[in-house]
Amino acid sequence: RLEGMPRQGNVARMAGHVLITGGGTGIGRAVADALCAEHSISLLGRRAEPLDAAAAAMPRAAGFPADVTDPASLGSAVEAAVGRFGPVTALVAAAGISETAPLARTELAMLRRMFTVNVEGVLSAIQLVLPQMQAAGQGRIVVVASTAALTGYAYAGASAATRHAVLGLVRS
């Protein structure tokens, strides 16, 4: 449970400044496209080129290169985003990776890479924006985890484990 934040139903309206990790491509980009007409959008991701292209297509958006596995990089990007658009009122944690292998060939290094992005990256992003939301008395946090958070798939055991972990994190 996010201490100091009221718990509401599963569907809640986002307002103001939406910060999206993994915002330059994939689901993060799609969320940004869906929200950009009504919100200021901060797009975070590892590669500047897709961030800049996405931001250029939106009325009030900017890209901030950051790696969710590097808390200092992520912190700097969040600070720059807040400087540009004000306090973050909604976080969409969409950055994630998935690697596949049969369990017999799944290496710990693979699991650790995915855990660092898919779980630690989400926790770091939440911890960076949560104080702003607590100070405002409201905020929204949406975490993208895939259906692998609910069930396992062949060749995706390590990925499913990280998705289950992030679901447990945000449900606590």
Side-chain angles (χ1 to χ4, degrees), residues 149-172:
L150 305 173
T151 187
Y153 296 101
Y155 297 93
S159 179
T162 68
R163 306 310 179 145
H164 278 75
V166 79
L167 182 61
L169 177 74
V170 298
R171 285 187 170 172
S172 298

Side-chain angles (χ1 to χ4, degrees), residues 81-96:
V82 169
R84 175 83 180 259
F85 295 119
V88 174
T89 56
L91 166 67
V92 178

Side-chain angles (χ1 to χ4, degrees), residues 29-111:
R29 169 67 191 266
V31 170
D33 287 337
L35 297 176
C36 71
E38 298 181 27
H39 309 283
S40 298
I41 306 291
S42 290
L43 304 165
L44 277 63
R46 291 176 293 152
R47 296 172 293 130
E49 186 174 301
L51 296 173
D52 293 342
M58 298 175 199
R60 288 180 319 277
F64 301 93
D67 184 343
V68 298
T69 68
D70 177 356
S73 167
L74 188 58
S76 294
V78 170
E79 186 177 319
V82 169
R84 175 83 180 259
F85 295 119
V88 174
T89 56
L91 166 67
V92 178
I97 61 170
S98 183
E99 298 180 49
T100 60
L103 281 178
R105 289 195 221 141
T106 298
E107 297 178 4
L108 286 176
M110 176 194 295
L111 176 64

